[in-house]
Amino acid sequence: WSEKVWRKSKEEPLVPIGVLATTGALTMAILSFRKRQSWNMQYWMRARVAAQAFTVGAMCVYYYSRSPGEVEKTRHLDEASAKREQRENKDRQEFLTRLKGAENQWKAD
């Protein structure tokens, strides 16, 4: 999943920036709340709402600006990634089975 996140972040860099801005504003609001600075907390909560609106807008622009062919291409890449992961898991299980058999044979000898 990390490859998918990295690829999508490269495709649309405004979304991760908006997520970071939203998280930062929320963190600052929580810190202001703990310091009992209500005026500062209100400022950061408003900044969080603005950053969140920016993020949602960036996601909508990204989604609606793609052509249907691009959507299918992305879906195909996601399916290919899932198939590769399933194949890797199957190979890993087969390897562990062979390893266990070899260990049992070694103990028997």
Side-chain angles (χ1 to χ4, degrees):
W1 62 271
S2 62
E3 292 175 8
K4 181 179 176 182
V5 170
W6 187 250
R7 187 185 78 237
K8 296 241 182 222
S9 296
K10 284 183 187 176
E11 289 175 7
E12 185 56 39
L14 293 178
V15 175
I17 290 170
V19 168
L20 290 174
T22 303
T23 304
L26 182 61
T27 302
M28 292 302 296
I30 290 170
L31 291 175
S32 296
F33 178 74
R34 290 188 70 190
K35 292 178 183 177
R36 299 186 187 267
Q37 296 174 342
S38 62
W39 60 271
N40 202 14
M41 184 193 72
Q42 287 295 320
Y43 170 79
W44 285 111
M45 288 302 282
R46 289 183 183 124
R48 179 199 57 88
V49 169
Q52 201 167 355
F54 171 79
T55 305
V56 171
M59 288 182 349
C60 290
V61 166
Y62 171 68
Y63 181 77
Y64 288 112
S65 67
R66 296 186 306 170
S67 65
E70 288 180 82
V71 173
E72 290 300 320
K73 181 180 175 185
T74 304
R75 185 175 298 136
H76 175 67
L77 289 173
D78 293 343
E79 289 173 1
S81 176
K83 286 180 183 178
R84 186 184 74 235
E85 187 175 322
Q86 288 174 349
R87 195 173 338 117
E88 289 173 354
N89 286 337
K90 181 182 174 189
D91 291 345
R92 188 176 299 116
Q93 289 300 323
E94 288 175 1
F95 172 75
L96 292 174
T97 303
R98 288 193 312 266
L99 182 64
K100 192 166 210 79
E103 287 175 350
N104 290 339
Q105 178 138 9
W106 182 76
K107 287 178 184 178
D109 291 341

